[in-house]
Amino acid sequence: MKKALIKDFKEAVQDLGNLQDHGTGLTTLAVSISDRRHRADVQFIRASSFNRAWADAEKLLAGAPQDGWIRIEVVHAIQQLTLVTVQQELAEMSRMNYWRRGISFDENFQTALLEMEINGHEFFKPGKDHKIGKNPSATWIDYPHISKYLKRRNGSLEIDIAQAQQVWVFTTSGIFSDGQRIWQLNDSETGEKGLRQLVNPRQELRDYLVQGETFLARQIKDSGQFIYGYYPGLQRILSSYNSVRHFSSIYALLEAVEFTGNVADLAKVKDALQWGLQELTLTKDDALFAVEHRKQGSAEIKLGAQAMLILALCKYQEVAHDETFFRQAQQAFNGVVAFRQASGRFNHVLNTDLTVKEAFRIIYYEGEITFALARLYELTDDEQVLDAVKQSLDFMVANDYGRYHDHWISYAVNEALQILPDNRDYMQLGLKNVYSHLAFIEARDTAYPTLLELLNAAVKMTDMIRKTGNADLLEPYDLIRLRRARKMRAEHELATGAFQPELAMYFYAPAKFVGGFFARHDHFRTRIDDCEHFLSGLINYYNDTY
């Protein structure tokens, strides 16, 4: 690595401050280096002054590749705790992978681990009975796994970490570089901790969305089927599949292609659509149904999958200017009729003989199908489709669906108002749908991309309400608060859900995951539907903001 860049690193680290622990008189640096293909090599350096510690750091950096990913952190705020105290805290954590501090099993930091070493390698594991969102994580320390790693990292391990009675937990401030730029890392105690501070949100968001489109397109195999997802911390590829997520990921990818202009990926999208039509649909008379193949050879027809099929087919025609699938979109609408109840509501799941399997499964389905039908009407001008949109929204109004604060309902209302711009009942439904949930949205500390999707649709809807002369409906609501919440959530989603290099470098095959999005609480899972929701939310935010 060039000396000039190393000099810039030194200045950037010095700008962090708190370079020396006045309790011990020592400076402790952690230097992480990845060649982008392999997990970061991490080395801790301790010395009696910053300059002496930096001299050792320079030796490591001199051998780093010029385009390597470099993360340099200063250790501070060290606290000695009993191991029992730490173990109790781990057991009581509500979410796995949310240990956010470094830890050393010895006072001299020979066995120190950064937070992301711990999480990237899954050194702290959830209890076998942990159910995400249902009970405490019961996290425990995997001593054999850590010991094996430390022996490899350090060349030897002189203490038995499992016998430690005391541990030293710590926080850091740091910088990251991709060989071109240097970012300061966030050292707050928020979800953004340890990730780059956004200097130019507009440019950095756009840059990542371009990478996100590339990542999702890369998940389409030659056959047209997606690689469903990964557990990066476990080095595992997910083997299950889901028809809703297949078609919804196609829809999001088309939004991304439209955003980036990378039309070369439309051939992959078409392959994915054709695979889905061949493998995930069935035809009865002149009706096309999205079908879910389940274990033990059973199958079912889900309203949500039907909606996503329609959305994907319509979006493909819009973006690709290709009418190949126009007939299938019409046939998919013919299939929607089989889900209808006399009340105007939809049954959620059918058997393959079109008998009702479940009248209700999840609230998302009704907003999804209404949004899809509104999009289909814009493509076909078919009055039967418009009647179905009206009947569904009228049912939602009559049954107070605004209490569900569902992002698909917001999508549906916003799209319907493009067609029916004076329907005040739909406006009131959409307003309640978002404002009944706004306090939760503002307080949510984790990545939660569907909240941004909800806010995007709601902001667009308030603009339509004002444009059509119905601003009196907005008087009880704080529009400034709504827009502020949207900006906050957009930047929070990017900072806490995107596999930026400074995070990806601690997982296997780091470059493979950049452009993806993850769920920290589930082994840093990155699945096609995770990418779908993040991309849709962030693209719509960008398009409406910049």
Side-chain angles (χ1 to χ4, degrees), residues 365-383:
Y365 286 176
E366 292 169 65
E368 286 171 340
I369 195 63
T370 309
F371 175 50
L373 293 176
R375 282 290 177 91
L376 181 63
Y377 173 75
E378 291 167 333
L379 189 69
T380 64
D381 288 324
D382 185 334
E383 287 298 318

Side-chain angles (χ1 to χ4, degrees), residues 75-372:
V75 173
H76 60 85
I78 303 168
Q79 182 172 9
Q80 183 178 349
L81 297 172
T82 65
L83 184 58
V84 171
T85 298
V86 171
Q87 288 172 326
Q88 182 177 350
E89 183 177 343
L90 285 170
E92 293 174 354
M93 285 195 314
S94 60
R95 312 180 188 110
M96 70 174 87
N97 301 123
Y98 269 82
W99 175 264
R100 302 308 308 270
R101 291 171 286 172
I103 190 168
S104 179
F105 296 91
D106 73 287
E107 187 176 8
N108 296 318
F109 275 62
Q110 294 176 348
T111 58
L113 298 166
L114 293 169
E115 174 221 330
M116 278 314 304
E117 280 184 286
I118 294 168
N119 287 320
H121 289 269
E122 297 230 356
F123 289 146
F124 294 174
K125 292 181 166 56
K128 61 182 177 60
D129 296 323
H130 174 51
K131 302 294 183 185
I132 296 171
K134 302 294 185 183
N135 59 4
S137 66
T139 296
W140 53 280
I141 300 173
D142 188 342
Y143 293 108
H145 192 184
I146 296 172
S147 296
K148 183 179 179 180
Y149 170 77
L150 288 173
K151 286 177 183 177
R152 185 172 66 251
R153 188 190 77 176
N154 299 348
S156 63
L157 180 60
E158 297 179 0
I159 68 170
D160 183 354
I161 61 172
Q163 298 303 312
Q165 300 298 309
Q166 304 287 323
V167 294
W168 288 258
V169 299
F170 59 90
T171 57
T172 66
S173 295
I175 64 167
F176 169 78
S177 176
D178 59 1
Q180 300 295 321
R181 292 183 56 187
I182 298 173
W183 286 268
Q184 186 171 330
L185 300 176
N186 192 311
D187 61 2
S188 68
E189 291 303 309
T190 64
E192 294 88 348
K193 181 178 182 178
L195 298 161
R196 68 185 63 188
Q197 294 183 8
L198 299 179
V199 178
N200 183 342
R202 174 177 176 268
Q203 187 61 50
E204 294 186 54
L205 175 55
R206 180 172 182 85
D207 289 347
Y208 199 82
L209 289 172
V210 171
Q211 293 177 310
E213 187 274 327
T214 300
F215 177 88
L216 188 53
R218 198 168 62 237
Q219 305 316 303
I220 300 175
K221 299 185 284 189
D222 290 343
S223 65
Q225 184 181 17
F226 283 95
I227 300 171
Y228 191 55
Y230 309 86
Y231 281 144
L234 300 175
Q235 300 190 39
R236 184 185 304 165
I237 296 176
L238 302 178
S239 60
S240 57
Y241 215 74
N242 180 289
S243 58
V244 175
R245 290 166 183 161
H246 177 85
F247 291 114
S248 62
S249 296
I250 291 173
Y251 176 79
L253 180 53
L254 284 163
E255 285 188 309
V257 168
E258 186 176 40
F259 177 80
T260 64
N262 188 14
V263 294
D265 280 337
L266 287 175
K268 283 190 167 185
V269 174
K270 192 171 187 177
D271 287 343
L273 268 173
Q274 289 173 326
W275 184 89
L277 288 167
Q278 179 178 331
E279 301 294 334
L280 300 175
T281 67
L282 60 83
T283 303
K284 288 183 177 291
D285 297 325
D286 196 31
L288 180 69
F289 296 92
V291 63
E292 183 75 61
H293 299 290
R294 299 167 66 84
K295 294 178 180 178
Q296 289 86 42
S298 64
E300 63 183 20
I301 299 171
K302 297 188 294 191
L303 182 64
Q306 194 77 5
M308 292 306 161
L309 170 61
I310 293 170
L311 280 170
L313 294 171
C314 292
K315 192 67 178 179
Y316 177 79
Q317 182 167 330
E318 176 189 344
V319 176
H321 307 291
D322 177 357
E323 296 186 2
T324 298
F325 304 112
F326 182 72
R327 179 59 182 152
Q328 285 92 331
Q330 293 177 310
Q331 290 177 311
F333 171 66
N334 295 341
V336 172
V337 176
F339 291 92
R340 295 304 301 269
Q341 297 179 10
S343 65
R345 189 177 187 176
F346 294 94
N347 290 309
H348 286 194
V349 187
L350 307 178
N351 295 304
T352 54
D353 64 1
L354 305 188
T355 57
V356 176
K357 180 177 181 180
E358 293 180 34
F360 178 88
R361 178 169 289 179
I362 191 167
I363 196 63
Y364 295 159
Y365 286 176
E366 292 169 65
E368 286 171 340
I369 195 63
T370 309
F371 175 50

Side-chain angles (χ1 to χ4, degrees), residues 329-470:
Q330 293 177 310
Q331 290 177 311
F333 171 66
N334 295 341
V336 172
V337 176
F339 291 92
R340 295 304 301 269
Q341 297 179 10
S343 65
R345 189 177 187 176
F346 294 94
N347 290 309
H348 286 194
V349 187
L350 307 178
N351 295 304
T352 54
D353 64 1
L354 305 188
T355 57
V356 176
K357 180 177 181 180
E358 293 180 34
F360 178 88
R361 178 169 289 179
I362 191 167
I363 196 63
Y364 295 159
Y365 286 176
E366 292 169 65
E368 286 171 340
I369 195 63
T370 309
F371 175 50
L373 293 176
R375 282 290 177 91
L376 181 63
Y377 173 75
E378 291 167 333
L379 189 69
T380 64
D381 288 324
D382 185 334
E383 287 298 318
Q384 292 184 78
V385 178
L386 181 57
D387 286 344
V389 172
K390 292 177 181 177
Q391 289 175 34
S392 181
L393 283 172
D394 289 345
F395 181 87
M396 291 183 188
V397 168
N399 290 275
D400 192 23
Y401 269 49
R403 71 187 188 276
Y404 291 125
H405 44 75
D406 170 28
H407 65 287
W408 288 112
I409 291 175
S410 274
Y411 273 147
V413 169
N414 183 58
E415 201 66 31
L417 290 177
Q418 311 305 309
I419 308 164
L420 305 162
D422 296 316
N423 193 303
R424 289 167 64 89
D425 288 339
Y426 299 167
M427 294 173 187
Q428 290 175 313
L429 168 67
L431 287 168
K432 182 173 182 180
N433 189 55
V434 64
Y435 276 96
S436 65
H437 204 45
L438 200 52
F440 174 88
I441 293 172
E442 292 168 329
R444 184 69 183 192
D445 61 331
T446 69
Y448 202 144
T450 56
L451 297 181
L452 178 59
E453 293 183 276
L454 172 58
L455 292 169
N456 284 330
V459 168
K460 290 179 182 179
M461 180 190 65
T462 60
D463 289 341
M464 175 63 74
I465 292 172
R466 291 165 57 226
K467 187 185 299 183
T468 55
N470 293 283

